[in-house]
Amino acid sequence: MDLKLSTLLCLTLLFSTILNPALSELCNPKDKKVLLQIKKAFNNPYVLTSWKPETDCCDWYCVTCDSTTNRINSLTIFAGQVSGQIPTQVGDLPYLETLEFHKQPNLTGPIQPSIVKLKSLKFLRLSWTNISGSVPDFLSQLKNLTFLDLSFSNLTGSIPSSLSQLPNLDALHLDRNKLTGHIPKSFGEFHGSVPDLYLSHNQLSGTIPTSLAKLNFSTIDFSRNKLEGDAYMLFGLNKTTQIVDLSRNLLEFDLSKVKFSKSLTSLDLNHNKITGSIPVGLTQNDLQYLNVSYNRLCGQIPVGGKLQSFDSSTYFHNRCLCGAPLPSCK
């Protein structure tokens, strides 16, 4: 091709691009239309100022485009404020893998049912909001979810047992809500990944399901609920559990009968009704944290391992525990 001709073609293309930006735009027009509807539904908040019809939506704040398809694959709003309910249009971004509304105190209403359409969704965080209503059963249909965080909100009702049908879930955060009822028996039957379970600061009651004995949870936080009875099913010599927090419940069991795996590095049992003595086996653990205070424990604190590295607040307010770091046994 003649040099003049190729230069002319380049210039023509350049000018046509300037005159018609859509030619150079990566953003999918369907996605752009949906995002502008979301902005309107939120009453054009300041945080979405960059969402302008004449610019490329792949350059907008709070969203990202897939590098291959240029479809919107992430919508994350965790700085600046939006108000109202989650718009139904979020369900019309079919390639979305990440959806996050975090630290949005003016976000209200239920968890948007149209989210069920987001079959590619891997990461869903709706946390530190004023979202209310129940934890919806339809979340179990989002089979690609690896992370589900609905913490620090106003969710009520019981935990749907169907959440155990999420085969790829690595972490489930339902902590700091107003959830009631029992921990589902089905949580002992997660298929595929076994998620870290964060259910603390709710009003869950009843006993911990014995079915949980079947699985190896890395982290369990059931603290600050109204759970009763035994917790033996969370422990065992063959477990690989690392962190267990059962503090501030109504649990009653004999601690001396519990077998702890060596993988356990953090154990918090404070403020329960736990009896018996501290098992010698705990001297074999590389404990980073321990708290058994405010229970009904007795006997000498075993010597060895990390047990004497904690101060008296780890052990005080028990029936008759003694030995370092508490006063010596009589």
Side-chain angles (χ1 to χ4, degrees), residues 25-88:
E25 191 165 322
L26 296 173
C27 173
N28 183 281
K30 291 178 185 174
D31 289 348
K32 179 184 253 189
K33 183 181 178 185
V34 170
L35 290 172
L36 290 171
Q37 288 170 345
I38 290 170
K39 181 184 179 182
K40 186 179 179 184
F42 277 136
N43 203 18
N44 303 315
Y46 180 74
V47 69
L48 303 182
T49 303
S50 68
W51 293 20
K52 294 175 180 172
E54 65 275 11
T55 59
D56 189 338
C57 76
C58 288
D59 297 329
W60 290 355
Y61 186 54
C62 301
V63 295
T64 59
C65 286
D66 181 89
S67 57
T68 307
T69 63
N70 296 320
R71 299 301 297 258
I72 294 290
N73 62 3
S74 171
L75 170 58
T76 56
I77 300 178
F78 51 80
Q81 297 295 312
V82 294
S83 299
Q85 300 192 14
I86 298 172
T88 57

Side-chain angles (χ1 to χ4, degrees), residues 11 21 40 47 69 115 119 123 143 154 167 171 180 208-209 211 214 226 253 260 265 284 308:
L11 286 170
K40 186 179 179 184
V47 69
T69 63
I115 288 173
K119 299 305 182 187
F123 185 103
K143 301 299 185 188
N154 287 315
T180 53
I208 299 171
S211 59
K214 294 185 272 185
K226 298 174 183 175
F253 59 92
F260 294 101
T265 59
Q284 302 298 309
Q308 276 66 47

